[in-house]
Amino acid sequence: MQDWLVTGGPPEPERVMAPDSTSRVLLAATSRALRGRDCADLAYLPLLTRFRGAPEPVRRAAVARAGTRAALAPPQVAEVDVEAVARWIVDHYPRRDYPGVVIGSPHGAAVHLATALGVPWLPAGFEISVQWPGGAVDDPARALAHGSRVAPGLLAANPAAIAVRQVHDPAGRGVLAGATLTLFVRWSRLPDAYRGFLRDRLAPATPVLLLRDARTWPVLDAGGGHTFQVGAPGSGLDAAELRCHSDLFDRVLRSVGGDGARWDPPAASCPDAYAEHGIDPGLETSLRDWLAGAGRPLHRVLFTRPDALSAATADVYRLWLRAAGKSGDRAVVECGRQLDPWQVVRAGLVPYWCENATRRSVAGAELWLAGSSAFSSVDVLPDPPGMASPVLAGLPQWRAAASFGRRRGAVDRLAARGYPTSAVPTRHATEVLRNQPYDLPAPQRLRIVDALTGLRDSGTQQGLLIC
């Protein structure tokens, strides 16, 4: 019997880019918005939210099997063509001239900015899920060993084009962390497909906006362009809690079927490396050099807290709406894959995006709402992660965010009904936002110079760096 599933032949790009990844849903949402479409056809259910109602041990086993079926077999990883993936990404967008482009880290605010600007969003990398036969959520050392057998083939097949960051995160991926490996593939030079897009689809002298997640995390350099990371900044835990067996992490590990007594992560060699959603320095250098030769300006936005970019983008939207004669008085708090940038613009809403459903992420939304001029209504769209965990926001915290609505505050009922394990696809956010009153016509396209001014005015004090 084989240890993994092999389908034969190089994997197609749509199978390479992990369907559960944030980048994938953000790419789908942006490309639809630029076509004047909403996300009503995005019916994918994240793996962790499936098999609801089964006894927990049975559900964990079923989710692990589903994750294995969806992941690439280890031999297929060495056949991945990252240029083919870049072409597949670019082909999501209509073939026409654009007034710019947003490139960078996955973040819902990047999608909302791109939609307001009328430009594409191109990710600085993508995520691959790889089968891990006999894996365990509480054995990061064995995850590294398996990754060290898989990653070199991917790097050798795409020489000098990528760097690979392996992440073992039981808090964020639950039982899937014991059934599959997660590889974040980051371009270390500008892909040819991106070069062609910049050359052929941008109007002359139009700018490029680079959004860079500058969060840091302890990392082990496994050599040859392969690095290894235990946990992640968005997990709701600090790096020290994963290494010192904190009570909170032990409870998280038990909630996904692990045992803290077996947890022994490899020591990090780089205590302050950029985390998994960071941009490889080689890509930024390559992009800067190409743009200088083409006479196009580059603007960079760096953030060390995702809530800072969410807050500043929401403030930019409010100013943009009011400049168009609209009230800018209704807010929507989105989360994870629960977003629809086209419906947000159609309804004239001010969008704030939470990275996930952790307490820390929702607290960022509460702080922004508390510090903003009051909104007449606040709609909240939680994204149930598919597992119970002590790091997650409870429904009372989501309701507290909604309570900032002066006349109306609402937490989506369907998401709340089975929270945090219920299954809610992206199209559900579309259905909710379609019920918002129309506020048409949509404002004239936001100019990049105005977006940068707004981000600088609102975000500098929150830690955004615009240069």
Side-chain angles (χ1 to χ4, degrees):
M1 294 182 63
Q2 294 176 321
D3 289 332
W4 43 67
L5 303 175
V6 180
T7 58
E12 295 297 321
E14 58 265 30
R15 187 154 186 269
V16 170
M17 194 174 191
D20 275 7
S21 64
T22 301
S23 293
R24 180 132 186 186
V25 71
L26 296 183
L27 175 65
T30 313
S31 60
R32 281 160 175 75
L34 292 193
R35 286 183 167 90
R37 290 174 49 196
D38 59 24
C39 298
D41 61 329
L42 298 184
Y44 177 81
L45 294 177
L47 291 168
L48 283 176
T49 66
R50 300 180 186 181
F51 311 106
R52 181 184 168 210
E56 190 57 26
V58 175
R59 195 184 78 86
R60 288 174 186 162
V63 169
R65 287 195 297 270
T68 297
R69 288 193 296 269
L72 295 184
Q76 290 180 300
V77 177
E79 299 177 346
V80 169
D81 180 356
V82 298
E83 279 293 343
V85 175
R87 289 193 297 271
W88 177 75
I89 289 171
V90 164
D91 287 344
H92 276 68
Y93 294 102
R95 291 186 173 275
R96 61 173 184 252
D97 286 345
Y98 294 100
V101 65
V102 177
I103 299 177
S105 304
H107 194 293
V111 167
H112 285 297
L113 278 174
T115 300
L117 294 165
V119 305
W121 172 74
L122 302 177
F126 58 94
E127 186 177 331
I128 297 177
S129 182
V130 185
Q131 295 167 11
W132 180 20
V137 294
D138 51 18
D139 198 346
R142 197 145 53 91
L144 171 60
H146 187 53
S148 295
R149 293 190 292 270
V150 172
L154 175 61
L155 289 159
N158 301 276
I162 57 170
V164 176
R165 171 67 53 82
Q166 180 182 349
V167 177
H168 185 77
D169 181 20
R173 301 196 67 244
V175 67
L176 292 174
T180 59
L181 303 182
T182 302
L183 305 181
F184 286 84
V185 180
R186 301 188 287 193
W187 279 291
S188 54
R189 68 184 183 201
L190 197 62
D192 290 341
Y194 281 22
R195 292 175 190 267
F197 185 93
L198 296 176
R199 182 187 63 245
D200 301 334
R201 299 204 208 172
L202 296 190
T206 50
V208 172
L209 184 60
L210 182 70
L211 294 183
R212 180 172 180 175
D213 188 334
R215 288 180 287 182
T216 59
W217 199 259
V219 166
L220 170 65
D221 188 349
H226 173 213
T227 53
F228 181 76
Q229 175 181 317
V230 176
S235 68
L237 295 165
D238 295 325
E241 293 180 289
L242 278 74
R243 300 197 171 270
C244 300
H245 296 279
S246 73
D247 176 66
L248 179 59
F249 176 63
D250 282 346
R251 285 189 286 142
V252 169
L253 205 54
R254 286 195 301 271
S255 72
V256 297
D259 183 353
R262 294 197 295 265
W263 182 261
D264 187 20
S269 58
C270 308
D272 293 307
Y274 288 118
E276 74 280 8
H277 290 312
I279 295 176
D280 189 88
L283 173 64
E284 184 171 339
T285 300
S286 175
L287 175 63
R288 186 186 296 276
D289 290 346
W290 190 91
L291 292 174
R296 298 181 184 275
L298 174 66
H299 303 285
R300 301 190 305 155
V301 178
L302 285 72
F303 57 94
T304 55
R305 292 176 17 242
D307 53 308
L309 182 59
S310 293
T313 300
D315 291 340
V316 166
Y317 254 68
R318 199 172 202 181
L319 291 172
W320 177 51
L321 292 170
R322 287 180 170 175
K326 302 178 184 298
S327 69
D329 203 28
R330 293 180 295 141
V332 57
V333 177
E334 304 167 322
C335 179
R337 63 179 58 241
Q338 290 301 296
L339 81 170
D340 190 323
W342 174 248
Q343 287 293 341
V344 163
V345 171
R346 188 274 305 168
L349 300 175
V350 176
Y352 180 101
W353 184 77
C354 294
E355 183 178 30
N356 50 38
T358 60
R359 294 199 302 263
R360 292 179 182 178
S361 188
V362 182
E366 292 178 286
L367 287 172
W368 170 70
L369 288 164
S372 302
S373 300
F375 289 92
S376 62
S377 69
V378 176
D379 284 271
V380 176
L381 300 174
D383 187 19
M387 60 182 179
S389 171
V391 301
L392 297 176
L395 285 176
Q397 188 175 2
W398 286 108
R399 293 189 183 108
S403 70
F404 283 96
R406 190 174 65 250
R407 297 178 183 172
R408 176 180 172 276
V411 177
D412 174 57
R413 291 182 180 180
L414 181 61
R417 188 178 303 158
Y419 183 87
T421 59
S422 60
V424 183
T426 299
R427 72 178 182 188
H428 176 65
T430 302
E431 294 167 2
V432 173
L433 294 176
R434 278 178 173 177
N435 291 325
Q436 292 283 341
Y438 278 45
D439 193 0
L440 297 175
Q444 291 293 315
R445 189 179 65 233
L446 179 66
R447 299 186 306 162
I448 285 186
V449 63
D450 295 331
L452 291 171
T453 299
L455 291 173
R456 186 176 290 109
D457 291 345
S458 175
T460 299
Q461 60 185 356
Q462 302 181 64
L464 286 188
L465 175 63
I466 295 94
C467 54

